[in-house]
Amino acid sequence: MSLLKKLFGSSAPKAPEPETHKGFLIFPDSQAEGSNYRLGARIEKEIGGALKTHHMIRADTFQTVDAANEAAVRKAKTLIDQMGERLF
């Protein structure tokens, strides 16, 4: 293994796996903001043969990206439960 790989790692951090809820795919996508992370997610569903996408961003911030992503999935599920396909 080369010195650079040892110092900097061999690859970029892996994106969180999408979660399925009522036929929708939820991709956690929280963004770094200073020393915190802003809650965000991408919600997708194929409707009538076309892929529809909704980008969800909230004001909530968390100290870790994992906490922000967990909260993003919970909020996305609530949004799906309330709006369904009207989300698009």
Side-chain angles (χ1 to χ4, degrees):
M1 180 176 275
S2 75
L3 179 60
L4 291 176
K5 282 187 178 181
K6 286 181 184 177
L7 291 174
F8 299 108
S10 58
S11 64
K14 194 170 119 183
E17 291 293 319
E19 190 164 322
T20 303
H21 182 69
K22 295 185 176 180
F24 292 78
L25 287 175
I26 303 168
F27 296 84
D29 188 25
S30 299
Q31 304 295 316
E33 187 170 291
S35 62
N36 292 320
Y37 294 88
R38 182 163 307 280
L39 182 150
R42 186 176 82 243
I43 303 169
E44 295 182 349
K45 183 172 185 179
E46 188 173 322
I47 301 173
L51 183 64
K52 302 289 185 174
T53 303
H54 176 81
H55 294 276
M56 179 187 79
I57 300 173
R58 298 290 185 254
D60 312 61
T61 58
F62 297 84
Q63 291 183 347
T64 68
V65 70
D66 291 334
N69 285 340
E70 287 175 20
V73 170
R74 282 194 310 273
K75 291 223 179 209
K77 286 180 179 180
T78 300
L79 187 60
I80 291 166
D81 291 342
Q82 292 174 348
M83 300 288 295
E85 290 183 359
R86 293 177 295 145
L87 182 64
F88 307 111

